[in-house]
Amino acid sequence: MVESAALVLKRAVELDVASRFQESLVCYQEGIDLLLQVLKATKDETKKAHYRERISHYMSRAENIKKYLEKEKEEGKYHKQIKIEENTKGFSYEKLFQEYLNETVTEVWVEDPYIRHTHQLYNFLRFSEMLVKGPCKVKTIHLLTSYDEGSGKSQQMSVLQEIERSLNDYGVILDVSYSSSIHDREIRFNNGWMIKIGRGLDYFKKPQGRFCLGYCDLDLRPCHETTVDIFHMKHTKKT
């Protein structure tokens, strides 16, 4: 366990030096937890003193990072960027969004012009399922998208109405609006987080087959290259 703690804390320091503070904080916290377990199991007083000193050092740095991030969020300056490389895996909606969802989230705004075709509608359904499962307490989802320009308009509207009825069974209101001029893609939570994905929710590649790994579990699905920008704002709802 000492080796595991050392590896995690080494990664924390690397991320810290690279100014990737949110990620480094997670690693610091994980490494500190591992060191605390090592300390608890250690009998040698000299080693215990050494572990206490290291734990105190890392806790101090983690606390400073936490204060810095809180200050950035309070001033509306927080910005984190994730670059998803071509064909990488492990970027399901849960992995990407769960860090920013907590019990204070009751309202969500999704602006994405491409919730049109079948696979895009399934993406929105999967995103909605994630919100319903929690830990957030979502009551309203606002979707702003554009109409399918072809013959699929009636299917698009029918599917979104079906999703609306299904969400209603879980006590969630789906408010759908359409715009012919929408271009930007962003997702906002009423706890202040705003996530902008270059490709919107449609960043997964088509699965190789219906019975191939990644068809159901999006963590196993290869991704298109895209960039995710994460901000924290005091007010996310546009007027």
Side-chain angles (χ1 to χ4, degrees):
M1 191 173 291
V2 176
E3 292 79 6
S4 297
L7 286 172
V8 174
L9 290 165
K10 180 183 177 184
R11 180 59 177 159
V13 172
E14 290 171 350
L15 292 166
D16 194 348
V17 171
S19 298
R20 293 165 63 179
F21 298 122
Q22 185 72 42
E23 295 166 271
S24 70
L25 179 60
V26 173
C27 287
Y28 275 127
Q29 291 170 336
E30 183 181 343
I32 290 167
D33 286 341
L34 289 170
L35 272 185
L36 285 169
Q37 293 178 47
V38 171
L39 175 63
K40 188 175 180 181
T42 300
K43 304 299 181 183
D44 186 287
E45 290 300 324
T46 302
K47 288 184 178 180
K48 289 177 76 169
H50 171 71
Y51 292 141
R52 287 194 187 99
E53 188 274 330
R54 299 316 299 162
I55 289 169
S56 176
H57 170 75
Y58 290 124
M59 286 182 72
S60 176
R61 180 54 190 158
E63 189 60 33
N64 286 336
I65 290 176
K66 191 182 296 184
K67 289 177 181 177
Y68 171 79
L69 292 175
E70 287 298 326
K71 185 173 182 290
E72 290 282 288
K73 286 190 284 186
E74 184 65 24
E75 295 176 354
K77 296 179 181 178
Y78 181 91
H79 177 216
K80 172 183 176 182
Q81 186 174 84
I82 300 170
K83 292 187 177 180
I84 300 177
E85 303 293 340
E86 187 78 6
N87 289 318
T88 53
K89 304 179 183 72
F91 288 97
S92 67
Y93 297 142
E94 284 82 0
K95 288 287 180 64
L96 198 58
F97 293 105
Q98 283 289 359
E99 181 180 343
Y100 311 102
L101 294 171
N102 54 37
E103 292 184 355
T104 66
V105 177
T106 58
E107 199 165 4
V108 178
W109 292 264
V110 179
E111 296 186 7
D112 191 327
Y114 297 106
I115 309 295
R116 303 178 183 177
H117 303 309
T118 300
H119 74 282
Q120 296 166 340
L121 291 161
Y122 271 121
N123 287 338
F124 181 70
L125 176 61
R126 291 187 180 102
F127 177 77
S128 299
E129 288 175 335
M130 176 197 68
L131 294 175
V132 168
K133 286 193 297 184
C136 52
K137 308 292 184 182
V138 171
K139 296 300 180 185
T140 307
I141 302 171
H142 304 274
L143 171 64
L144 177 62
T145 188
S146 59
Y147 283 117
D148 191 305
E149 296 173 350
S151 58
K153 178 179 176 180
S154 60
Q155 181 191 14
Q156 175 195 21
M157 295 179 67
S158 175
V159 170
L160 287 173
Q161 287 169 1
E162 186 174 349
I163 295 175
E164 180 182 354
R165 290 192 297 271
S166 183
L167 282 167
N168 190 59
D169 291 338
Y170 288 86
V172 179
I173 296 170
L174 175 60
D175 170 38
V176 182
S177 300
Y178 298 91
S179 170
S180 59
S181 60
I182 180 176
H183 176 72
D184 292 341
R185 302 163 177 85
E186 67 180 43
I187 295 170
R188 306 189 305 277
F189 305 133
N190 69 321
N191 63 350
W193 290 109
M194 177 189 295
I195 295 93
K196 295 189 176 186
I197 308 174
R199 296 182 61 96
L201 292 173
D202 190 13
Y203 58 86
F204 297 105
K205 289 196 167 184
K206 183 179 179 180
Q208 293 181 331
R210 293 174 61 190
F211 295 97
C212 293
L213 295 181
Y215 186 85
C216 298
D217 189 341
L218 293 181
D219 268 325
L220 302 176
R221 181 86 66 89
C223 298
H224 292 287
E225 181 178 346
T226 193
T227 301
V228 183
D229 287 286
I230 300 158
F231 305 89
H232 190 276
M233 314 288 282
K234 286 186 177 181
H235 304 288
T236 60
K237 189 173 182 179
K238 294 180 179 177
T239 56

